[in-house]
Amino acid sequence: MLKIAIQNKGRLGEESFNLLSRIGIEVDTAKRKYLARASNFPIEMLNLRDDDIPGVVADNVAQIGIVGLNEVEEKGFDVRIVRKLHFGHCRLSLAIPKGERYPGLDYFRGKRIATSYPNILTRFFKARGIEIRPVVIAGSVEITPSAGMADAIFDIVSSGGTLVSNGLKEVETVMESEAVLIAHPTLSEEDRQLVEEIEFRMESDSISRGKKYLLMNIRQEVMTEALAILPALSSPTVLPLAAKGWCSVHTVVDSSDLWVKVRQLKAIGAEGILVLSVDKIIL
Ligand code: ATP
Ligand code: MG
């Protein structure tokens, strides 16, 4: 039976679970225990701490998993990155006390740098020929400079608010991260087909994100103008209406362009504009 490892709680847990549910892999939330079988897909969900996910996939205990790219890079296990999942965005950065002058990476020579990501940190400085002293700590990395335990930190940043409230400033971004789907490098034929199906569904889900379905009535004589406003990628559907000289136009637009398009369409006399959510786009 194919197994997928996801974070049991934490920052990625809920979104991983929701993504699986959007692609038709559902587990009764009341039964969301350590190992749970999906009701409508031949897969079991393994709910773990995020640190353990790359390892269980490398060991083939779970054949696939959803985890931050930062954890994959830190653990260094042999797993295949199947696709990026467009959530859980963050970066791994170096930060120093805010009153310090920062002349560049040489600043860190011989300095104690607190982190939960010692492998990524040492690899980064080794490649640049700079000796540093890593201080490995599991959590609360941001308090180590004021506690006198370290001179600088290397940690996850998303908004930067935590750094500021601890009197630190971000000086270098070492890597950008987001949640990724990972897989064991060699899968059985049966598992490979199931993973392909999951990828196909994830692709459809991702294409439909941020898209709206737009319907409106347009006079035949302004059709050329209407088609110039609407996106060229998907040719709009044009259907004649019972009222003479009028057509119904249907198309898909990016949510970010929606209001600009609506304004332009109204300006050429479009009527009865309907905007609908798109659940899935299958290409
Ligand atoms: P666990 O108990 O599973 O070990 P954790 O405390 O190690 O959880 P979380 O804080 O839940 O981990 O973060 C999980 C992942 O979420 C991180 O590894 C990272 O990829 C991503 N992430 C995104 N934004 C942030 C952020 N602002 N702070 C921390 N992690 C973030
Ligand atoms: Mg963790």
Side-chain angles (χ1 to χ4, degrees), residues 9 26 42 98 117 122 135 151 158 161 175 191 236 267 269-270 283:
K9 33 188 172 50
E26 288 180 28
K98 74 167 182 288
Y117 297 92
T122 26
V135 176
D151 308 304
S158 51
M175 82 169 271
D191 287 349
L283 292 181

Side-chain angles (χ1 to χ4, degrees), residues 79-244:
V79 296
R80 179 167 71 88
I81 294 167
V82 180
R83 60 184 290 129
K84 294 185 172 175
L85 298 174
H86 313 300
F87 66 88
H89 288 275
C90 58
R91 54 192 188 274
L92 279 176
S93 289
L94 287 156
I96 64 172
K98 74 167 182 288
E100 293 277 298
R101 203 178 67 82
Y102 182 68
L105 281 177
D106 260 340
Y107 174 89
F108 294 99
R109 211 174 280 279
K111 292 262 183 357
R112 294 168 305 162
I113 309 178
T115 190
S116 313
Y117 297 92
N119 294 328
I120 299 174
L121 175 71
T122 26
R123 229 181 291 143
F124 177 78
F125 279 107
K126 207 167 174 202
R128 285 155 185 83
I130 297 172
E131 267 301 318
I132 51 123
R133 290 152 65 198
V135 176
V136 183
I137 180 163
S140 305
V141 175
E142 64 285 353
I143 65 151
T144 56
S146 57
M149 293 164 68
D151 308 304
I153 69 163
F154 175 58
D155 202 9
I156 289 181
V157 182
S158 51
S159 68
T162 314
L163 292 183
V164 172
S165 58
N166 284 283
L168 300 169
K169 63 176 176 189
E170 185 177 357
V171 291
E172 299 281 348
T173 301
V174 171
M175 82 169 271
E176 302 278 348
S177 178
E178 67 183 273
V180 289
L181 178 71
I182 56 170
H184 185 76
T186 51
L187 296 174
S188 70
E189 181 52 26
E190 192 187 337
D191 287 349
R192 199 190 55 73
Q193 281 180 17
L194 290 172
V195 174
E196 237 172 53
E197 176 64 21
I198 290 171
E199 279 187 72
F200 168 74
R201 294 184 188 187
M202 283 182 173
E203 179 67 13
S204 301
D205 180 76
S206 132
I207 299 169
S208 66
R209 306 259 98 192
K211 293 279 198 287
K212 295 287 175 197
Y213 193 81
L214 196 58
L215 294 90
M216 74 220 80
N217 296 337
I218 292 199
R219 250 182 234 287
Q220 186 62 51
E221 67 237 31
V222 294
M223 192 55 70
T224 322
E225 281 127 290
L227 296 182
I229 295 167
L230 295 169
L233 189 77
S234 56
S235 169
T237 304
V238 180
L239 302 165
L241 289 181
K244 202 163 179 306

Side-chain angles (χ1 to χ4, degrees), residues 7 49-52 71 117:
Q7 196 186 12
R49 286 201 55 179
D50 70 339
D51 313 57
D52 297 328
E71 287 297 330
Y117 297 92

